Amino acid sequence: MGVMSVRTQSPEKSPEVAHRAGFACFVGRPNAGKSTLTNALVGQKVAITADQPQTTRHTVRGIVHRPDAQLILVDTPGLHKPRTLLGQRLNDVVRTTWAEVDVIGFCLPANEKLGPGDRFIAKELASIKKTPKIAIVTKTDLVDSKTLAEQLIAIDQLGKELGFEWAEIVPVSAVEGQQVDLLADLLVPLLPEGPALYPEGDLTDEPEQVMIAELIREAALEGVRDELPHSIAVVVEEMLPRDDRPADKPLLDIHAFVYIERPSQKGIIIGPKGKRLKEVGIKSRKQIEALLGTPVFLDLHVKVAKDWQRDPRQLRKLGF
């Protein structure tokens, strides 16, 4: 039996270290803790986190700036067995992304035994030969040390079964902030040497409109996930600074549409007497203001786009 190394401390740094920059992506079953981890590494809310699979539809890149490196996190949608055209398109996006990044982090929750979904992804990973793979055991705050040890051994075995070696196996808790810096320390040496690819201040290169749409979508899903999980898309139609405002008191007008698939879903989103939509507006407006650092007037409307998940034209219009 080979030796399994689980990292709990950072590699030694040599004095004159070359700067590295590159791309990493986190993969894993829906709800394996990918977005929470991205946010913990970047230190700000960039990828949206929802206790609901399939919410990250776009390649959101969180950027970790360090003196010795720049780590750009590409957040791919979860890989799953496609049932719709949208599902198929998401899977294609995933595979191309995996082949293009410098390192892949496979997130496996400590509190759930390895299942068929994990094997399905691990098999896919095994076929991408060149890219180094790190196994990241997430949510370690939810288990005792014995359960964690068993999970680490199972993950090590999984790699051996499929004929590849994990570059590292790292237990983390993004919520408690445990070992998150260590994870960054381990990802960095796997990146190519080179200058920073993004300016210092950037946390994500997502266009602001896409991030705003994601924040609205997250707020709209809150509390109605079971009734309409995927059938919400949000499009920000326009963002304009209000004309008649003094320079020191700007106001940004944002007009956005929440698209659903069927008229019957409209009532769910809007709520009795429009109460729900109003709450969605208040909640997302606060987050948008925090993101942009400027006061916002948010104008939200709900529209029906019939069966948009199955219609290529609508998918294009809604940005997929």
Side-chain angles (χ1 to χ4, degrees):
M1 178 147 162
V3 179
M4 171 180 76
S5 83
V6 174
R7 284 299 192 125
T8 52
Q9 69 197 56
S10 301
E12 292 303 308
K13 292 197 177 62
S14 60
E16 47 284 336
V17 145
H19 188 277
R20 293 178 179 273
F23 295 84
C25 75
F26 294 145
V27 304
R29 279 184 293 116
N31 211 9
K34 301 182 292 280
S35 296
T36 310
L37 191 56
T38 300
N39 295 336
L41 277 163
V42 176
Q44 267 198 354
K45 185 166 173 161
V46 282
I48 65 166
T49 54
D51 49 6
Q52 148 74 20
Q54 293 309 323
T55 42
T56 315
R57 289 259 176 86
H58 298 277
T59 309
V60 176
R61 299 178 174 85
I63 303 172
V64 184
H65 298 277
R66 298 165 48 122
D68 60 333
Q70 189 177 65
L71 173 65
I72 300 139
L73 301 170
V74 186
D75 203 9
T76 51
L79 189 77
H80 53 101
K81 299 203 165 67
R83 279 188 305 277
T84 60
L85 179 64
L86 173 65
Q88 211 173 314
R89 212 165 271 188
L90 290 179
N91 281 0
D92 296 342
V93 171
V94 174
R95 289 195 186 85
T96 12
T97 307
W98 289 5
E100 286 164 3
V101 296
D102 300 300
V103 53
I104 299 172
F106 185 12
C107 295
L108 298 133
N111 62 334
E112 296 172 33
K113 281 204 158 34
L114 299 186
D118 298 315
R119 276 174 198 286
F120 175 71
I121 295 173
K123 268 208 187 83
E124 291 279 336
L125 286 181
S127 69
I128 297 172
K129 297 274 185 277
K130 285 199 191 69
T131 318
K133 303 158 203 49
I134 286 186
I136 305 166
V137 187
T138 56
K139 310 187 185 188
T140 54
D141 51 297
L142 302 179
V143 298
D144 58 19
S145 52
K146 182 172 173 289
T147 313
L148 179 57
E150 284 165 3
Q151 185 73 324
L152 293 169
I153 292 166
I155 290 168
D156 186 49
Q157 285 306 111
L158 179 64
K160 291 200 171 77
E161 256 170 63
L162 295 170
F164 69 88
E165 189 74 45
W166 298 109
E168 306 277 358
I169 299 177
V170 199
V172 300
S173 163
V175 175
E176 307 262 321
Q178 282 162 352
Q179 303 234 108
V180 172
D181 293 341
L182 165 71
L183 174 61
D185 290 343
L186 297 175
L187 289 166
V188 165
L190 299 169
L191 305 176
E193 290 185 8
L197 302 165
Y198 287 88
E200 180 66 54
D202 288 6
L203 289 170
T204 168
D205 80 343
E206 269 297 310
E208 282 171 348
Q209 273 166 281
V210 175
M211 290 184 73
I212 289 165
E214 291 282 296
L215 288 172
I216 296 169
R217 187 163 180 272
E218 185 181 60
L221 277 169
E222 201 89 3
V224 295
R225 303 190 186 290
D226 306 341
E227 299 160 86
L228 12 134
H230 304 171
S231 25
I232 295 182
V234 175
V235 174
V236 173
E237 290 285 325
E238 58 175 16
M239 288 166 56
L240 298 166
R242 181 83 58 97
D243 281 345
D244 52 0
R245 301 286 289 214
D248 59 341
K249 287 221 165 78
L251 180 69
L252 191 64
D253 283 315
I254 297 179
H255 300 278
F257 289 104
V258 178
Y259 286 96
I260 46 183
E261 291 194 299
R262 288 185 291 284
S264 60
Q265 298 170 332
K266 210 166 174 173
I268 301 174
I269 289 284
I270 294 174
K273 294 203 174 90
K275 191 164 162 274
R276 241 200 114 251
L277 189 63
K278 198 172 166 190
E279 281 166 11
V280 169
I282 292 168
K283 186 173 179 192
S284 50
R285 194 191 75 229
K286 282 193 184 125
Q287 295 192 326
I288 293 165
E289 290 181 336
L291 176 75
L292 302 177
T294 170
V296 160
F297 171 79
L298 180 60
D299 176 41
L300 273 188
H301 292 278
V302 180
K303 275 190 167 180
V304 179
K306 263 181 91 92
D307 290 330
W308 63 263
Q309 294 193 50
R310 288 186 170 70
D311 173 349
R313 217 190 61 229
Q314 304 254 27
L315 278 172
R316 269 199 305 280
K317 185 180 166 222
L318 297 174
F320 298 113

